Amino acid sequence: MASAEKPCTLLVHFDKGSPSMANEIKADLESGDGPTKADAMRRAISLLLNGETLPHLFITVVRYVQSCDDHAVQKLLLLYLETVEKRDPATGKALPEMILICQNLRNNLQHPNEYIRGVTLRFICRLTEPDLLEPLVPSILANLEHRHHFVRRHALSAISAIYRLPQGDQLIPDAPEVVERALATEQDAAARRNAFLMLCACAQERAVEYLLTNAERVSEWPDLLQMAAVDLIRKVCRSKGRVDKGRYIKIIIALLSAPSTAVVYECAGALVSLSSAPTAVRAAANTYCQLLSSQSDNNVKLIILDRLHELRASHREVMVDVVMDVLRALASPNVDVRRKVLDLVLDLLTPRNVEEVVLYLKKEVVKTQAAEAEKGGEYRQMLVQAIHACTVKYPEVAGSVVHLLMDFLGDTNVAAAVDVVLFVREIIETNPKLRVSMIQRLIDTFYQIRASRVCVCALWILGEYSLSLSEVESAISTIKQCLGELPFYTVSEEGESADSSKPAQPVVNSVTVSSRRPVVLADGTYATQSAATETAVSAPAAALGSLASTQNLRSLILSGDFFLASVVAYTLTKLVLRLEEVQPSKVEANKACTGALLIMVSILQLGQSSYLPHGIDNDSYDRIVLCVRLLCNTGDDVRKVWLQSCRQSFANMLAEKQFRETEEMKAKAQISHAQPDDLIDFYHLKSRRGMSQLELEDAVQDDLKAATGQFMKDADDTNKLNRILQLTGFSDPVYAEAFVTVHHYDIVLDVTVINRTKETLQNLCLELATMGDLKLVDRPQNYTLAPESSKQIRANIKVSSTETGVIFGNIVYETSNVMERSVVVLNDIHIDIMDYISPATCADVTFRNMWAEFEWENKVAVNTVIQDEKEFLNHIIKSTNMKCLTPPSALDGECGFLAANLYAKSVFGEDALVNISVEKQADGKLSGYIRIRSKTQGIALSLGDKITLKQKGGSS
């Protein structure tokens, strides 16, 4: 148990000892030289750390090791003395034989070698026995005058440690005065820091007086002392509020120009925590931006960006002014840094800075085009997404970037090209003024597209937004050029038997010669068959390559992509229908219709031939046949559906997306409430004499916060009550309950222990242990609890993953009547995965990519009493604390089937993906599966267990 652990500075694994081993150690200590004694001491320390007592070894160490002059042996002796038990377990007092080491410690404190003095003083910092420390105090104080700073530094630490003991003020009653005098004359940076820290901990008034007296020279202090000063200012302002806060803030602002980057970073954080004045926040933001551009370590950049994100949440109006400084961090080659920078900048967009931001992003896109850097494709994709977000918020800037981005429709990075074409699709709908130029640009660059997914979206854009006669004709001509000459394959002249056994070759560049011959049909009648013979024509390789490069649709269809072929048929059908409306000449319209029909029939012929390894799928075949029938016989209602309804549906989808984003922004907005009778102290109505501009701004900001209730934003009593867990029963002599607080990587247990007996409980200890990826930080302490009194005990636990953990333990105490220790077993505390994950959003493309990439999947069968699909989906969303990515419009209607995607992100940066597919059976029950995918096993298993536990009930 943790209660058996002893404080030490050395942890070494060692096998369990034996009496013979103890005798060997004793013999080596008695007769060995320096190296032999050092080896024996190492073995003795290892045995002590593994629980061995070695009671008879202490006298041997005192007799034969204390007198050794070897420095290594002396250091090991101090480690041994630190590890060995120095108190009597029965009485709690120091063992009598411990007095034997005092003379040796006193001699070491007067040793001519400064190293021996220093390590001895460092050991004394860990001694807690007043009986051993009392005779050493004069020698410790004498070391404050030693010539070497190493000795003085540790002497100050020893005085601080002794004075903080329960009887410390009796051992060195004038310690603060002694340390203050030493601080005034000390020149070593570390020694000054130790002295200042001692005053901060034990005599804060003296530390504050020293700081304010030397306020003009703080910028000249060494960085160690400056860090201690910043920490003191934080503590003083937190405890004293507004008193002299202006003087402290002046010191902080002066330290913002310190040469140490660590000091500058701490000062910026302290400035934000002490003041909410715009001047102070602006100074902190500028400091963070300077650090962001000057530091090369990516981890430092990520930490600074986190601080800037926190500033954006509470001081957005100030952060807007530094958005261009933040953008300069895009020069970092690290993808994570760039992603955080773009996320921060997108949250700081305003009509005033959006043009500058878009222009900067445009330049970055051009850089990725000029020189392919490391992960340039991924960076280009992030830039495209950022520009897309900018134009969604402020459509007026779309015209300056859309034509540049359309050059990347043929990007080798398919994900980036897909983002570009989706961006073009949205802009062409939301910006009617750009439609003509964008359609013309798309027609000009269509042949460069190489990805099937990009071709599909680009064809849809051409079919929906080509409205004028010239646009429709250019679109049809471009599609025909990209398809190449028809047919897609030819029949050999050598005979039917050769055709059936040997696949024909595709046409790339040839001359077609037609021939006719009689054939016998299946019913015995005769007919004439036409065949096309292809004769290859020699041409330069460059010409052939140029021809193949323009026939992107042909190469994709010949690779077996019949879905793309069906989209080509749909697009041609829309273009022909629109041509019939805008073309005054019926002959030209009929000619275009005939050409479209020929293309569709050629695609069907290719799909049903033996030229490709696999034929056309049924869905694509039905879609193309529908297009053929539609062109042969068109009605007004059908024409309206094809030419208007599709575009209207897309417009509705964009409107719904915009509405959802607006609602999410409203939900994220901080809503603060203030009580009517809350006190508001209007400092700006008082006398301004002696107040700086920063203090005036700070007072105004505090008044505004008090008026709007921002000081009360965390006062959610309902949530706090839900986190209180009962650990013992009401009939137990000791009642305990815990309030659990989960904050990122830390879990804090505030345990309230109540003595319900009429007796005093002695040595009461809260012993905790963990299971899972949890680790206790603090060792348990003993307390004395008076009758019917209570005690607040805090325990800190570190979390390293999202796996479900368990905290268990007991409360041990003693009473005067019972000699044995009593134990009260505590209820287990289960740490819920819901405390680590939070709802998040991502694009559909990103979700699909992660779904294909993640290897851990947990498949949970639906087993619930809920009979409504939407109610079940809402229940899972509430139970798992996830975000539904499927839009509400896709979930409307009653069809007996529901599929939805959920997404969440953990505090450790892990992604959690969930897909729900449920179907209502004939008996009214729901069946289906819930699939969870993640990159790590822990979150997939924990989330699956949570869903399995929660899915049955309709309310939990």
Side-chain angles (χ1 to χ4, degrees), residues 42-336:
R42 291 190 187 95
R43 284 181 286 158
I45 293 171
S46 300
L47 288 173
L48 289 172
L49 291 174
N50 279 270
E52 300 291 336
T53 56
L54 304 179
H56 304 295
L57 191 64
F58 180 78
I59 300 300
T60 303
V61 170
V62 171
R63 292 180 59 188
Y64 296 99
V65 178
Q66 282 192 153
S67 58
C68 183
D69 295 332
D70 190 284
H71 289 181
V73 174
Q74 288 297 319
K75 184 175 181 179
L76 289 170
L77 171 63
L78 296 177
L79 288 174
Y80 170 81
L81 295 176
E82 185 179 341
T83 310
V84 74
E85 184 64 53
K86 295 180 279 293
R87 292 179 179 271
D88 187 351
T91 62
K93 298 181 179 180
L95 294 171
E97 57 266 26
M98 287 295 130
I99 300 298
L100 299 175
I101 68 172
C102 287
Q103 183 60 40
N104 179 68
L105 293 176
R106 189 185 300 111
N107 294 337
N108 284 350
L109 292 175
Q110 300 171 357
H111 199 279
N113 185 280
E114 58 270 10
Y115 174 76
I116 296 297
R117 290 197 184 201
V119 295
T120 305
L121 288 166
R122 190 164 55 192
F123 163 74
I124 290 174
C125 294
R126 303 180 184 96
L127 278 180
T128 58
E129 290 75 14
D131 298 340
L132 303 181
L133 291 171
E134 186 175 3
L136 303 177
V137 169
S139 299
I140 296 173
L141 295 175
N143 277 293
L144 290 175
E145 307 295 332
H146 195 272
R147 57 180 177 79
H148 202 282
H149 59 81
F150 180 76
V151 178
R152 299 195 304 271
R153 182 188 310 166
H154 290 293
L156 289 166
S157 298
I159 293 173
S160 175
I162 294 173
Y163 192 75
R164 280 182 289 181
L165 294 175
Q167 298 87 6
D169 54 347
Q170 302 174 9
L171 294 173
I172 314 179
D174 58 342
E177 294 86 348
V178 172
V179 172
E180 189 176 14
R181 289 196 300 268
L183 178 60
T185 59
E186 183 60 59
Q187 298 298 321
D188 179 64
R192 294 174 67 186
R193 189 269 312 268
N194 291 347
F196 190 75
L197 289 178
M198 187 273 175
L199 293 179
C200 293
C202 305
Q204 192 177 87
E205 295 79 8
R206 293 177 181 270
V208 171
E209 182 182 357
Y210 178 80
L211 175 63
L212 296 179
T213 303
N214 298 272
E216 301 297 331
R217 297 189 295 273
V218 170
S219 57
E220 302 173 1
W221 286 1
D223 54 351
L224 293 175
L225 195 55
Q226 288 176 344
M227 294 282 282
V230 173
D231 190 46
L232 173 65
I233 290 174
R234 274 202 183 106
K235 293 179 180 177
V236 172
C237 291
R238 193 179 298 120
S239 60
K240 294 187 178 180
R242 292 179 180 270
V243 179
D244 289 334
K245 189 164 75 169
R247 301 177 65 183
Y248 297 124
I249 291 178
K250 288 180 182 178
I251 296 175
I252 294 292
I253 292 178
L255 289 177
L256 287 177
S257 58
S260 172
T261 54
V263 173
V264 171
Y265 173 79
E266 289 296 329
C267 287
L271 191 59
V272 174
S273 63
L274 297 180
S275 173
S276 57
T279 303
V281 176
R282 190 173 295 108
N286 290 329
T287 302
Y288 283 139
C289 291
Q290 292 173 5
L291 293 174
L292 190 62
S293 59
S294 63
Q295 298 300 306
S296 58
D297 192 298
N298 291 326
N299 293 321
V300 174
K301 289 179 180 290
L302 292 173
I303 292 172
I304 294 173
L305 286 170
D306 286 337
R307 302 290 84 76
L308 288 173
H309 271 282
E310 294 173 0
L311 279 183
R312 190 265 312 160
S314 54
H315 305 281
R316 185 179 185 276
E317 65 284 351
V318 177
M319 285 295 298
V320 166
D321 297 333
V322 299
V323 64
M324 298 308 298
D325 296 327
V326 176
L327 269 176
R328 294 190 182 94
L330 289 176
S332 171
N334 185 269
V335 176
D336 294 328

Side-chain angles (χ1 to χ4, degrees), residues 399-430:
S400 62
V401 292
V402 66
H403 295 95
L404 171 66
L405 294 183
M406 291 181 73
D407 291 336
F408 295 98
L409 288 174
D411 198 338
T412 53
N413 185 351
V414 178
V418 170
D419 286 333
V420 171
V421 77
L422 294 177
F423 169 68
V424 171
R425 186 182 67 173
E426 186 167 344
I427 294 303
I428 203 171
E429 170 63 30
T430 57

Side-chain angles (χ1 to χ4, degrees), residues 656-673:
E656 182 183 359
K657 178 183 176 183
Q658 185 70 25
F659 175 76
R660 282 193 293 141
E661 292 177 352
T662 304
E663 291 298 318
E664 289 176 1
M665 292 178 62
K666 290 181 180 179
K668 290 180 180 179
Q670 181 178 342
I671 301 175
S672 302
H673 301 284

Side-chain angles (χ1 to χ4, degrees), residues 424-497:
V424 171
R425 186 182 67 173
E426 186 167 344
I427 294 303
I428 203 171
E429 170 63 30
T430 57
N431 292 264
K433 296 180 181 180
L434 301 175
R435 185 193 62 80
V436 176
S437 59
M438 291 177 67
I439 284 293
Q440 187 59 46
R441 184 75 171 175
L442 182 58
I443 291 174
D444 294 339
T445 58
F446 186 83
Y447 70 93
Q448 300 176 358
I449 301 175
R450 291 291 175 267
S452 176
R453 292 166 58 189
V454 181
C455 281
V456 167
C457 192
L459 287 170
W460 186 88
I461 295 172
L462 289 177
E464 290 293 338
Y465 297 97
S466 297
L467 303 180
S468 66
L469 177 60
S470 60
E471 291 171 352
V472 173
E473 291 177 344
S474 298
I476 295 176
S477 175
T478 300
I479 293 174
K480 287 183 177 180
Q481 182 183 359
C482 293
L483 288 172
E485 296 183 4
L486 301 177
F488 291 100
Y489 79 104
T490 58
V491 181
S492 174
E493 184 68 18
E494 296 178 358
E496 295 293 328
S497 60

Side-chain angles (χ1 to χ4, degrees), residues 466-662:
S466 297
L467 303 180
S468 66
L469 177 60
S470 60
E471 291 171 352
V472 173
E473 291 177 344
S474 298
I476 295 176
S477 175
T478 300
I479 293 174
K480 287 183 177 180
Q481 182 183 359
C482 293
L483 288 172
E485 296 183 4
L486 301 177
F488 291 100
Y489 79 104
T490 58
V491 181
S492 174
E493 184 68 18
E494 296 178 358
E496 295 293 328
S497 60
D499 293 341
S500 61
S501 61
K502 181 180 179 181
Q505 299 299 321
V507 178
V508 176
N509 193 14
S510 58
V511 174
T512 305
V513 180
S514 299
S515 63
R516 296 173 179 269
R517 63 179 175 180
V519 294
V520 180
L521 301 180
D523 58 355
T525 59
Y526 288 90
T528 302
Q529 182 186 52
S530 298
T533 303
E534 296 292 335
T535 304
V537 179
S538 61
L544 289 175
S546 175
L547 183 62
S549 65
T550 60
Q551 297 179 358
N552 52 344
L553 292 179
R554 184 185 189 90
S555 60
L556 291 171
I557 292 174
L558 288 177
S559 66
D561 191 348
F562 284 101
F563 175 74
L564 175 61
S566 66
V567 175
V568 171
Y570 260 55
T571 303
L572 288 173
T573 302
K574 290 181 181 179
L575 291 173
V576 170
L577 292 178
R578 186 163 284 114
L579 185 64
E580 293 176 355
E581 292 184 350
V582 299
Q583 174 62 264
S585 174
K586 298 296 182 183
V587 177
E588 294 296 330
N590 292 336
K591 184 178 178 181
C593 181
T594 304
L597 288 172
L598 179 60
I599 293 173
M600 297 176 198
V601 172
S602 299
I603 294 173
L604 292 175
Q605 183 183 12
L606 175 66
Q608 294 178 336
S609 69
S610 60
Y611 169 67
L612 297 178
H614 56 83
I616 187 171
D617 58 282
N618 293 332
D619 289 340
S620 299
Y621 179 84
D622 292 340
R623 286 164 63 92
I624 298 175
V625 170
L626 174 63
C627 294
V628 173
R629 291 177 177 173
L630 182 62
L631 290 179
C632 295
N633 185 13
T634 306
D636 293 337
D637 294 339
V638 176
R639 185 185 300 271
K640 181 179 179 181
V641 170
W642 280 68
L643 298 183
Q644 297 179 15
S645 298
C646 294
R647 183 173 174 181
Q648 185 60 41
S649 298
F650 178 62
N652 294 339
M653 186 190 77
L654 292 181
E656 182 183 359
K657 178 183 176 183
Q658 185 70 25
F659 175 76
R660 282 193 293 141
E661 292 177 352
T662 304

